Amino acid sequence: MKRVLIIGGGSGATFLANTLDRRQFETTVVSASVLHMFQPGLLYIAFKNAPAGITRAERRLLPRHVHFVQQDVTHVNLREHRVRTQAGMELTYDEVVLATGVQTAAARIPGLEEVNAQFGDYHSTIEQAQKVWRHLAEVRGGTIVIGQGAAICKCPPSPLEGVLLAEEFLRERGLKSRTKLVYFTPYPRPYAAEGINDIVAPILQARGIEVRTFFDLDRVDTANRTIYSIEGEQIPYDLALIVPPFIGAPITYEPAEVLDEDRLIITDKFSLRVKGVESAFAIGDATNLPTSKAGVGAHLEAKVVAQALAAKPARFDGRTHCPMDLAYGKGTFVIGSYAAPTVKYAPSRLNHWMKAAMARVYWISLRGWLDPLFDVYFRLTAPEKLAARKAHRLRPAA
Amino acid sequence: MAETEPRTVVDAREESCPGPITDLAKAYRRSKVGDVIELWATDPGVKADVRAWAAKTQNEVVSIEDQADKVVAVLKIHRR
Ligand SMILES: Cc1cc2nc3c(=O)[nH]c(=O)nc-3n(C[C@H](O)[C@H](O)[C@H](O)COP(=O)(O)OP(=O)(O)OC[C@H]3O[C@@H](n4cnc5c(N)ncnc54)[C@H](O)[C@@H]3O)c2cc1C
């Protein structure tokens, strides 16, 4: 039996461990945490004061035949197939799958750590997301700045979702006229991919949210409560909710060249093999793949790796399918692939409901039981297909 | 421009969402004044984005060229 070692215990790792055939593989999952967090839940803790029950025990999400080890991996020797943990444990493998996600790296931008510690963020921990809510709930007026601190963002729609939900909150509280909402992004338009931008830009305008594009965050001056861009612009704030940069897990690799400057694993975008070494794959946020860092991607990539490990033909097409909350009970999806540009997908209540339903469906989806359904759904919503249906139910959104 | 000038080639071909502009933003953050960035992309929207980006950041578009399999944009960094 082939020994497969999966490093990580998040979306990609858990789904893969559930998918591998127990008759062919002896599978071990090693994760730094005994818990598994449904990360999209952080958005609703931060902006809707949702209950904090968004974690489950990883062990219970894995089939019994899969070994689960809670250890912080510190060294991975991809040449010798040896893995070492902080506690000094050594693990070996025939095939390894790296699924260690990304972590926030506020320290990369001067002043950002301080501002995130002050106001919270919704991309790291439940406590940080609760801190966002506490500050938002205290707003009585002033300028609220929300934006994306670096080019790469876990869940690319999430910075915009934050500002849209904040606007809904302020309006509901009757604070709209006393507050100014500013959204900043390093991109040329509110959402980088044009199909979705066509949907979102008019919504931002209709809701009175000021947008500052090409704003590449350089530093935060917490004393003067102002953020500055590399381009030389500045925005003063009373409350700043800034999505920090993201980097890969602090693991030392042999060879070191498998990592890029953000500690992301250099991965072949079609085969998902780690560049330059044998018997190693990478999936999910941990990779440098030119696609959205999203749970959906991690899931689809895990499927490709499961096929490859079973010696079946396998190729990742770069498919994205990220739900985006537009507030006021409406949503859209960011749908695209390497070959097909992002589709202009009409907002609807159904899309929003699907995103909300995911909070429950997520845990079952990790087991792979819903995959026959997902396969059909993803086929029906393939970007090429949607683009071909030219007049795709496009209604004006606001 | 001298042929010997050091260039950073940023390969942003066949990328899915959020796309090539992410790579340009990353390369800009790493760049110094005087650097030349050569961006390859297959997304046709990149041309307008590169021009808008250069105008906004006051950097120079040396050339934008349609090749058989890609668009190649050459940028010179004057401001950082
Ligand atoms: C606010 C927010 C909203 C989001 N919304 C959506 C959405 O609507 N749709 C969507 O598809 N995605 C969404 N995402 C993104 C999604 O949560 C991630 O993309 C997804 O979890 C990535 O899966 P992964 O397996 O690559 O990494 P993760 O799920 O992050 O898992 C990484 C795992 O690696 C482990 N690990 C890390 N370092 C080590 C180490 N040194 N040793 C051992 N183990 C280690 C961790 O313990 C963890 O178990 C959202 C994220 C956020 C923050």
Side-chain angles (χ1 to χ4, degrees):
Chain A
M1 272 222 273
K2 247 189 194 165
R3 292 167 312 146
V4 175
L5 179 64
I6 305 174
I7 308 181
S11 303
T14 308
F15 176 73
L16 179 62
N18 274 283
T19 312
L20 292 178
D21 188 343
R22 62 184 298 180
R23 291 161 303 186
Q24 276 188 65
F25 304 103
E26 188 191 327
T27 306
T28 301
V29 168
V30 50
S31 176
S33 173
V34 288
L35 294 177
H36 184 127
M37 195 203 299
F38 174 64
Q39 297 173 31
L42 293 173
L43 180 72
Y44 297 101
I45 293 175
F47 293 96
K48 295 239 176 221
N49 196 23
I54 58 167
T55 51
R56 297 221 177 152
E58 175 64 12
R59 174 66 269 184
R60 309 216 23 209
L61 301 170
L62 298 168
R64 238 173 286 164
H65 67 267
V66 170
H67 307 288
F68 176 67
V69 183
Q70 190 252 311
Q71 290 276 324
D72 224 313
V73 170
T74 52
H75 291 82
V76 176
N77 189 325
L78 294 166
R79 291 197 224 270
E80 295 172 8
H81 295 199
R82 277 188 299 114
V83 169
R84 216 167 63 228
T85 72
Q86 198 164 37
M89 187 186 233
E90 201 159 286
L91 299 154
T92 57
Y93 61 83
D94 298 318
E95 301 274 351
V96 70
V97 183
L98 311 169
T100 41
V102 283
Q103 58 184 55
T104 55
R108 287 204 160 183
I109 295 177
L112 186 57
E113 233 176 348
E114 213 181 308
V115 91
N116 279 1
Q118 185 182 359
F119 299 127
D121 75 82
Y122 55 104
H123 287 78
S124 56
T125 63
I126 292 170
E127 293 69 34
Q128 279 290 91
Q130 287 170 329
K131 199 184 281 178
V132 169
W133 172 258
R134 282 200 301 276
H135 283 277
L136 201 61
E138 276 171 15
V139 168
R140 296 292 171 266
T143 302
I144 304 174
V145 174
I146 299 181
Q148 180 174 336
I152 290 195
C153 176
K154 165 151 47 182
C155 186
S158 61
L160 273 169
E161 289 179 299
V163 79
L164 292 169
L165 291 174
E167 192 276 337
E168 183 185 15
F169 169 80
L170 294 171
R171 185 174 301 203
E172 275 172 0
R173 288 271 174 117
L175 292 164
K176 206 45 205 303
S177 57
R178 273 183 277 158
T179 43
K180 180 169 150 187
L181 260 179
V182 183
Y183 180 74
F184 74 89
T185 169
Y187 302 144
R189 49 190 161 266
Y191 196 78
E194 284 185 280
I196 286 299
N197 188 64
D198 289 348
I199 303 251
V200 175
I203 293 179
L204 291 163
Q205 199 181 8
R207 296 185 192 165
I209 298 167
E210 184 181 322
V211 176
R212 300 285 290 270
T213 55
F214 290 118
F215 193 98
D216 238 306
L217 186 65
D218 185 46
R219 64 186 196 283
V220 183
D221 180 343
T222 46
N224 291 311
R225 292 198 292 191
T226 304
I227 63 171
Y228 295 87
S229 72
I230 302 180
E231 292 82 1
E233 297 194 339
Q234 57 188 71
I235 314 173
Y237 65 83
D238 294 297
L239 171 61
L241 304 174
I242 300 175
V243 180
F246 293 90
I247 55 171
I251 295 174
T252 307
Y253 282 92
E254 174 58 43
E257 296 78 55
V258 299
L259 295 186
D260 75 4
E261 71 280 2
D262 294 321
R263 279 202 322 238
L264 299 176
I265 301 154
I266 301 173
T267 309
D268 182 85
K269 70 187 201 188
F270 300 118
S271 71
L272 305 180
R273 289 180 181 276
V274 179
K275 280 268 169 81
V277 289
E278 301 280 314
S279 307
F281 295 87
I283 56 173
D285 294 354
T287 67
N288 75 331
L289 296 179
T291 173
S292 299
K293 299 212 172 297
V296 180
H299 183 115
L300 294 173
E301 290 155 27
K303 275 176 90 111
V304 171
V305 170
Q307 291 280 106
L309 286 170
K312 293 185 188 146
R315 186 178 194 270
F316 182 53
D317 64 359
R319 176 68 188 268
T320 61
H321 198 103
C322 302
M324 179 166 181
D325 196 324
L326 299 169
Y328 301 99
K330 287 206 174 176
T332 183
F333 280 93
V334 182
I335 301 172
S337 70
Y338 293 147
T342 304
V343 180
K344 187 169 172 176
Y345 199 71
S348 72
R349 293 202 175 269
L350 175 66
N351 295 339
H352 184 268
W353 177 85
M354 284 167 80
K355 170 147 182 154
M358 204 56 204
R360 285 171 193 282
V361 172
Y362 178 72
W363 304 109
I364 315 168
S365 75
L366 291 173
R367 309 305 296 259
W369 299 331
L370 297 174
D371 257 56
L373 264 176
F374 281 138
D375 287 347
V376 175
Y377 172 66
F378 285 140
R379 255 203 313 278
L380 288 174
T381 54
E384 297 81 0
K385 225 174 237 173
L386 294 178
R389 261 196 272 154
K390 273 213 178 85
H392 179 74
R393 301 197 334 268
L394 218 59
R395 284 179 254 111
Chain B
M1 194 168 47
E3 271 305 306
T4 49
E5 212 156 19
R7 279 188 184 212
T8 310
V9 172
V10 180
D11 186 352
R13 287 173 298 173
E14 287 218 303
E15 299 203 330
S16 73
C17 168
I21 202 70
T22 320
D23 298 85
L24 179 57
K26 271 176 73 177
Y28 179 47
R29 192 176 278 278
R30 284 196 302 267
S31 69
K32 303 180 299 298
V33 169
D35 282 0
V36 173
I37 298 173
E38 181 173 321
L39 181 71
W40 299 354
T42 41
D43 179 345
V46 80
K47 290 193 228 169
D49 283 352
V50 161
R51 288 202 185 94
W53 176 85
K56 174 79 180 188
T57 57
Q58 296 171 29
N59 288 300
E60 181 190 348
V61 180
V62 178
S63 62
I64 298 186
E65 198 184 310
D66 274 303
Q67 296 186 357
D69 59 337
K70 60 182 181 290
V71 175
V72 176
V74 178
L75 298 146
K76 182 149 187 173
I77 303 300
H78 294 298
R79 269 199 50 180
R80 252 304 323 251

